Amino acid sequence: MTVANKSIPKRKFDVVIVGAGGSGMRASLQLSLAGLNVAVLSKVFPTRSHTVAAQGGVSASLGNMSEDNWHYHFFDTVKGSDWLGDQDAIEFMCREAPKVVYELEHFGMPFDRNADGTIYQRPFGGHTANYGEKPVQRACAAADRTGHAMLHTLYQQNVKAKTQFFVEWMALDLIKDEAGDVVGVTALEMETGEMHIMEAKTVLLATGGAGRIFAASTNAFINTGDGLGMAARAGIPLEDMEFWQFHPTGVAGAGVLLTEGCRGEGAILRNCNGERFMERYAPTLKDLAPRDFVSRCMDQEIKEGRGCGPNKDYIELDMTHLGGDTIMKRLPSVFEIGHNFANVDITKESIPVVPTIHYQMGGIPTNIYGQVVVPKDGNPNAVVNGLYAVGECACVSVHGANRLGTNSLLDLLVFGRAAGNHIVESGLKGKTHKPLPADAGADSVARVARLDDSTSGEYAQDVANDLRNAMQHHAGVFRTQAILDEGVGKIIAIAERAKNITLKDKSKVFNTARIEALEVENLMEVAKATIVSAAARRESRGAHTVDDYADTPEHPNGRNDAEWMKHTLWYSDGNRLDYKPVNLKPLTVESIPPKVRTF
Ligand SMILES: Cc1cc2nc3c(=O)[nH]c(=O)nc-3n(C[C@H](O)[C@H](O)[C@H](O)COP(=O)(O)OP(=O)(O)OC[C@H]3O[C@@H](n4cnc5c(N)ncnc54)[C@H](O)[C@@H]3O)c2cc1C
């Protein structure tokens, strides 16, 4: 075993960040500006991270266009989370929002402008004023390319601050010492196919979401949940993985996203009778009710035979009344997507849409400083030394059972920055590196060697496709207890097959099949976490709506607070589950007590 450590080339940094999306680059900027030696690893060039695809906006109660304040934002987020979000973290995020958005503006972010020069803000799902009374304009936007503008702004600032990027490097596993502290990661340089050890006083995971466990997804191909796989293999539980957000408006058949900003600008969902059906379900917010709610209403319309098209299997999004000028100014990418992916001119015709997997609410458990926390000696939130996580791979938990649109880009900025500050303030600079364990890297070497030495087995893409189809059916927007229970056995069986994946081409240089095989191992961890956690949660809450747990006087909307207002923790080892309480105590204000969600 000692051989592994000795034979692998090593590099040393103060901090190693895995992931160059919005969260990783917001954290690295804070660290580089403080003079720390920071390495950021990314599977793709930083500005190709999935953050680049974010369209609609980033939320902050600036009140530029309608009356707003952070208390309203706080209320909306707690309610949106269906009371599974931790109210300390939600207060922290909503209070910090204006600061981090203005900071981004000063970094050079090209937001759209109002006539008076202030940042343009559009309405979005579940964003309200006066505690649910009426829609508010809170989503700060750069047309429908907000993530693109943000990621480029952060990259430029990082280049200026001399952050070191390792582009096309894939992190494989966390390295822990005997005490269980994290002391680095192993990583594969894709160009050469060689393994390296990146030693660090602190490792920060910012690997983004894992939407690729589903067949129909708005997510990029690189969103394979690598950070979650790394954490799971290191014995760290994954939190609330049963909660996956379906975005109401993925282009039917293609999966590509049409931002909620479309409905923010006034687009309307219609069934086959041309009816604006959301008026029936959500009289106040209508098409701008939160995503879990709108997705379920669409599903209901389709199930009751009011879907559109020859097979009555989609809903139509109508933007024709917005006018060409507004569309070309506010939604230019949506216009292009309509043309390229649905052959529709959205200024003249409606576009077919279906709820499509979009975002994971769960992830690696952290506190509000981004430190990874696990249950230990009776403390549900004991800090893991040397390990932080931020962004979509983390669960802090601000989104609870359902995220509000534009709160993810905000989450990246707020917690990326907070984690950076916390690491700087921990006095890392003066500390020395803890020694690597003798067998550092042995697990990764063994994983890669198994692939390289394999002579028979299945191909990664076949196993991954079976997984995606099974997840789509067993953990989709429509869930029943029987479908979930059956899914558990199926997914665990597919995960077993992943241990037998073989490579046809064993070459090392830019061998993308080798990379994909390693990614599939991470997909399996995420899928198991999802299905096992989902089958165990015997209620409906937010995105996890199960037909068996329907609306009753005792449990309105199927939510059972007495038994289930708690966070799930899934451990890879034996698919074990544990639970921890939701924090209903904000930092400074009064708690928002659980209520039935209506819109
Ligand atoms: C189409 C789309 C539109 C969206 N629109 C909005 C919106 O308008 N507003 C909003 O708030 N949210 C939106 N979201 C959600 C939001 O964009 C994401 O949650 C967020 O950008 C994720 O950022 P991140 O920093 O966590 O990860 P990402 O931006 O996904 O970056 C992950 C990084 O990790 C790297 N990485 C992963 N694995 C490894 C590994 N093993 N080794 C090395 N590097 C690795 C990748 O290369 C990448 O650099 C949208 C999401 C999608 C998919």
Side-chain angles (χ1 to χ4, degrees):
M1 281 295 180
T2 344
V3 184
N5 179 353
K6 292 224 172 83
S7 59
I8 309 175
K10 295 177 197 63
R11 288 179 153 91
K12 256 189 192 177
F13 303 89
D14 290 326
V15 183
V16 166
I17 297 182
V18 185
S23 63
M25 288 211 284
R26 186 63 196 82
S28 62
L29 179 59
Q30 217 63 12
L31 297 167
S32 291
L33 289 174
L36 291 173
N37 182 14
V38 187
V40 178
L41 275 57
S42 177
K43 290 196 286 190
V44 294
F45 193 78
T47 52
R48 303 195 71 163
S49 305
H50 188 65
T51 301
V52 79
Q55 302 172 359
V58 47
S59 56
S61 56
L62 306 182
N64 287 347
M65 302 172 71
S66 58
E67 192 219 331
D68 200 8
N69 64 58
W70 73 261
H71 296 270
Y72 296 164
H73 189 182
F74 171 68
F75 170 85
D76 289 344
T77 306
V78 172
K79 182 176 173 186
S81 83
D82 217 351
W83 277 272
L84 194 73
D86 288 330
Q87 297 196 14
D88 57 336
I90 297 177
E91 176 182 339
F92 182 74
M93 181 177 80
C94 297
R95 289 181 75 151
E96 291 276 294
K99 182 161 78 193
V100 295
V101 166
Y102 285 135
E103 199 174 46
L104 193 64
E105 180 187 33
H106 297 164
F107 290 157
M109 168 94 170
F111 282 114
D112 281 6
R113 298 286 164 183
N114 296 314
D116 64 357
T118 54
I119 295 173
Y120 169 73
Q121 299 186 276
R122 58 164 61 109
F124 238 77
H127 295 194
T128 72
N130 223 7
Y131 310 107
E133 259 182 20
K134 54 181 181 206
V136 75
Q137 292 184 239
R138 186 181 292 146
C140 309
D144 55 1
R145 295 170 184 148
T146 312
H148 181 111
M150 180 169 144
L151 203 59
H152 280 260
T153 304
L154 288 173
Y155 180 62
Q156 287 162 1
Q157 290 296 320
N158 270 283
V159 169
K160 188 169 149 199
K162 303 207 164 28
T163 302
Q164 300 170 68
F165 287 98
F166 288 76
V167 176
E168 295 178 338
W169 281 57
M170 178 186 184
L172 298 181
D173 287 292
L174 293 170
I175 301 173
K176 285 168 106 179
D177 67 7
E178 285 76 15
D181 298 351
V182 174
V183 293
V185 299
T186 48
L188 205 69
E189 184 181 11
M190 296 187 193
E191 185 183 345
T192 61
E194 296 299 340
M195 188 160 339
H196 297 253
I197 285 180
M198 315 293 269
E199 282 189 72
K201 299 173 191 169
T202 290
V203 169
L204 184 146
L205 296 174
T207 52
R212 284 280 149 191
I213 60 166
F214 289 92
S217 170
T218 68
N219 278 209
F221 283 98
I222 52 170
N223 288 10
T224 50
D226 297 358
L228 288 94
M230 291 167 77
R233 282 191 294 275
I236 293 164
L238 303 182
E239 181 174 343
D240 293 341
M241 291 303 296
E242 60 271 46
F243 298 101
W244 282 87
Q245 177 162 82
F246 287 78
H247 195 295
T249 57
V251 175
V256 182
L257 179 80
L258 298 172
T259 172
E260 194 168 279
C262 300
R263 280 170 288 138
E265 296 294 340
I268 288 169
L269 290 164
R270 296 189 194 280
N271 60 20
C272 66
N273 303 324
E275 184 203 4
R276 184 182 190 181
F277 57 88
M278 282 309 300
E279 283 179 332
R280 259 191 285 126
Y281 296 95
T284 309
L285 294 187
K286 301 186 177 82
D287 301 84
L288 284 177
R291 291 174 181 174
D292 58 334
F293 193 80
V294 178
S295 292
R296 271 200 303 283
C297 299
M298 293 168 68
D299 197 48
Q300 187 77 15
E301 289 297 298
I302 293 172
K303 267 202 291 217
E304 289 174 8
R306 292 187 294 277
C308 308
N311 301 322
K312 296 193 164 292
D313 56 356
Y314 60 79
I315 294 294
E316 287 191 337
L317 184 69
D318 180 5
M319 288 176 264
T320 52
H321 53 289
L322 301 185
D325 288 350
T326 301
I327 287 177
M328 297 321 285
K329 184 168 174 203
R330 301 292 185 207
L331 304 165
S333 305
V334 170
F335 178 81
E336 281 174 29
I337 291 169
H339 186 264
N340 295 338
F341 291 94
N343 196 21
V344 161
D345 176 350
I346 60 166
T347 63
K348 299 198 177 87
E349 301 159 80
S350 299
I351 180 163
V353 290
V354 284
T356 306
I357 201 75
H358 183 59
Y359 183 85
Q360 68 180 55
M361 268 69 75
I364 304 162
T366 72
N367 61 24
I368 61 173
Y369 309 112
Q371 292 175 289
V372 174
V373 292
V374 296
K376 198 176 170 188
D377 303 331
N379 174 4
N381 295 307
V383 166
V384 177
N385 288 324
L387 187 63
Y388 286 69
V390 291
E392 193 170 334
C393 73
C395 181
V396 43
S397 129
V398 282
H399 310 302
N402 171 63
R403 172 174 74 87
L404 293 188
T406 71
N407 264 354
S408 174
L409 291 187
L410 177 62
D411 165 358
L412 313 182
L413 294 174
V414 168
F415 294 104
R417 183 178 185 277
N421 283 342
H422 198 260
I423 294 170
V424 171
E425 285 156 17
S426 69
L428 206 64
K429 217 167 177 185
K431 291 186 188 159
T432 50
H433 287 81
K434 293 188 77 184
L436 286 174
D439 63 350
D443 291 349
S444 307
V445 170
R447 283 208 295 136
V448 176
R450 198 204 61 71
L451 283 175
D452 288 346
D453 298 342
S454 64
T455 48
S456 65
E458 292 185 84
Y459 293 128
Q461 67 270 31
D462 296 335
V463 183
N465 282 341
D466 285 354
L467 177 83
R468 292 181 176 122
N469 290 329
M471 285 301 291
Q472 192 76 25
H473 178 65
H474 289 284
V477 74
F478 175 75
R479 295 176 175 186
T480 68
Q481 192 61 50
I483 290 181
L484 289 168
D485 289 341
E486 199 192 332
V488 172
K490 273 201 193 163
I491 300 300
I492 291 177
I494 295 174
E496 282 301 310
R497 283 166 53 197
K499 294 181 182 156
N500 249 331
I501 285 174
T502 189
L503 287 179
K504 200 194 250 171
D505 170 8
K506 305 278 171 44
S507 65
K508 286 186 165 178
V509 176
F510 271 123
N511 184 345
T512 49
R514 202 163 170 242
I515 303 290
E516 192 182 341
L518 291 162
E519 287 176 337
V520 168
E521 294 184 17
N522 297 320
L523 287 178
M524 295 300 161
E525 297 295 337
V526 180
K528 280 188 293 175
T530 302
I531 196 80
V532 172
S533 305
R537 182 174 282 274
R538 312 249 158 170
E539 65 157 355
S540 294
R541 184 184 296 269
H544 175 71
T545 293
V546 186
D547 241 28
D548 307 55
Y549 314 116
D551 193 31
T552 63
E554 199 191 353
H555 298 133
N557 293 340
R559 198 179 79 197
N560 178 349
D561 286 340
E563 286 177 68
W564 287 102
M565 205 202 296
K566 56 187 179 186
H567 295 295
T568 307
L569 296 173
W570 170 88
Y571 291 83
S572 180
D573 188 17
N575 281 307
R576 182 165 67 86
L577 291 175
D578 192 4
Y579 293 91
K580 69 173 182 181
V582 172
N583 187 355
L584 292 174
K585 243 179 104 184
L587 298 169
T588 65
V589 290
E590 277 185 28
S591 176
I592 301 191
K595 274 197 297 214
V596 182
R597 279 167 87 219
T598 51
F599 303 98

